[in-house]
Amino acid sequence: MTQLHWMAFRMYLPTLACLLLAFASTWLLTSAEPAALAPPLGDALRWAPYALLGLAALLGVVASVRLLRCETGDALICGCGGLLGGEHAGRWGTYRTCAACGRRQGVLRNR
């Protein structure tokens, strides 16, 4: 796999984790007896897989839009071709971290 494939995999990893949690919670909740859970807790837990599926869909859309912007050139791109993340305050000023190589790029500001 190339460096950009790994970047895309890391961007979709939270989506995959939410999907796996949703399927695991569905499996656990269907195998549990209804009397084993207290009525208020059981009603709330019944909606947990749907909430996790919604969160996974939202995370997947965000990752897809970021990758689309990177591919079309509308996003900030590192020298290696990876997507730059948000600004962080660091010891020597603000910087952005590349999602592909992990290198920190300093943010230049006009003063």
Side-chain angles (χ1 to χ4, degrees):
M1 288 176 67
T2 66
Q3 188 175 12
L4 295 177
H5 289 124
W6 279 112
M7 178 184 71
F9 177 72
R10 282 194 304 262
M11 289 182 77
Y12 282 115
L13 200 57
T15 303
L16 180 65
C18 280
L19 283 175
L20 290 176
L21 269 170
F23 290 133
S25 65
T26 302
W27 178 67
L28 288 174
L29 290 175
T30 56
S31 64
E33 295 178 16
L37 301 173
L41 182 64
D43 291 338
L45 286 178
R46 186 182 67 189
W47 293 101
Y50 299 114
L52 286 170
L53 281 175
L55 180 63
L58 179 69
L59 289 172
V61 166
V62 168
S64 297
V65 167
R66 287 188 70 200
L67 287 172
L68 180 69
R69 287 187 64 209
C70 180
E71 191 163 312
T72 58
D74 291 338
L76 296 173
I77 298 174
C78 177
C80 70
L83 184 63
L84 291 177
E87 291 184 4
H88 301 284
R91 186 174 182 181
W92 291 285
T94 56
Y95 65 91
R96 294 177 184 267
T97 304
C98 176
C101 66
R103 192 171 44 211
R104 294 180 176 154
Q105 304 287 328
V107 176
L108 300 174
R109 297 191 184 265
N110 294 335
R111 292 184 183 197

